[in-house]
Amino acid sequence: MVFNRAQQVIGILLMLVTCQLSAQPGQSAPAFSLPRLDNQQVLSLANLRGQVVYVDFWASWCPPCAESLPALQSLYEELQPQGFTVVAINLDETVLQAQRFVQPMTLTYPILFDANKQTPQQYGITGMPTAFLLDRHGNIHSRHTGFDPAEQTQLKQQIQQLLQETSWQESF
């Protein structure tokens, strides 16, 4: 396919705008308050301040998500006592789709449902799964796109490093 010069310029501008609008490492993570998939109680990112948080965007139609969600459960179980949590934000059309997908999995971390699809826009999500590792202050440490089991060791090391940093209360 051949693109003319105007199409190329428009494509580059759209890419730059998307990059500027997306959440980037070093920035504060965009706030959200969403209902839990299991009991409809609302969970706000602000309530997790002081913890290291892995915000994971997923959908039932995403094959790698079927692998990543259980892998995150393992990290959660091991590191949660040290102040780590996972928040998985589902982007399916209906709650029922999400519930059916996770029902056979034993997931104990919070799974939220974004009916209005606001958070993927706030975070600049372009593919699934996409996740953000946040430090205890609510700042984005890193962005993770896709799922590769071989990268779990590196992710665990990043989480452990953030857990060892001075707690957010001690920094004031």
Side-chain angles (χ1 to χ4, degrees):
M1 181 178 287
V2 177
F3 294 101
N4 66 37
R5 186 77 171 142
Q7 290 171 318
Q8 291 173 344
V9 169
I10 289 170
I12 290 169
L13 288 174
L14 286 173
M15 185 176 68
L16 289 172
V17 167
T18 300
C19 289
Q20 290 177 348
L21 294 177
S22 67
Q24 299 293 323
Q27 297 177 342
S28 291
F32 58 80
S33 292
L34 296 168
R36 288 181 62 127
L37 197 61
D38 57 352
N39 61 18
Q40 295 299 304
Q41 288 183 312
V42 173
L43 177 68
S44 295
L45 182 60
N47 294 347
L48 302 174
R49 189 64 54 97
Q51 296 183 50
V52 173
V53 181
Y54 193 78
V55 180
D56 181 56
F57 291 89
W58 68 279
S60 64
W61 46 261
C62 162
C65 296
E67 289 182 71
S68 68
L69 294 172
L72 291 174
Q73 178 65 32
S74 296
L75 282 173
Y76 177 73
E77 289 173 3
E78 181 179 349
L79 300 173
Q80 189 259 346
Q82 299 171 43
F84 171 69
T85 195
V86 174
V87 176
I89 300 176
N90 177 265
L91 302 176
D92 280 318
E93 291 301 314
T94 68
V95 170
L96 187 57
Q97 289 171 316
Q99 289 171 333
R100 284 182 181 158
F101 187 77
V102 297
Q103 194 267 334
M105 300 177 197
T106 306
L107 304 176
T108 59
Y109 52 80
I111 301 174
L112 310 180
F113 184 73
D114 186 354
N116 297 323
K117 312 300 183 256
Q118 295 287 324
T119 52
Q121 292 176 6
Q122 293 173 304
Y123 280 79
I125 303 302
T126 57
M128 301 262 194
T130 297
F132 297 83
L133 181 59
L134 313 181
D135 66 18
R136 293 181 187 271
H137 302 279
N139 297 318
I140 299 170
H141 174 270
S142 53
R143 178 185 182 120
H144 303 265
T145 304
F147 177 71
D148 181 355
E151 294 176 359
Q152 291 302 290
T153 301
Q154 181 183 7
L155 175 60
K156 182 178 175 181
Q157 290 171 345
Q158 289 177 354
I159 295 166
Q160 289 173 321
Q161 176 187 356
L162 291 174
L163 288 169
Q164 291 174 2
E165 291 180 0
T166 305
S167 85
W168 70 284
Q169 295 162 328
E170 295 171 6
S171 64
F172 291 101

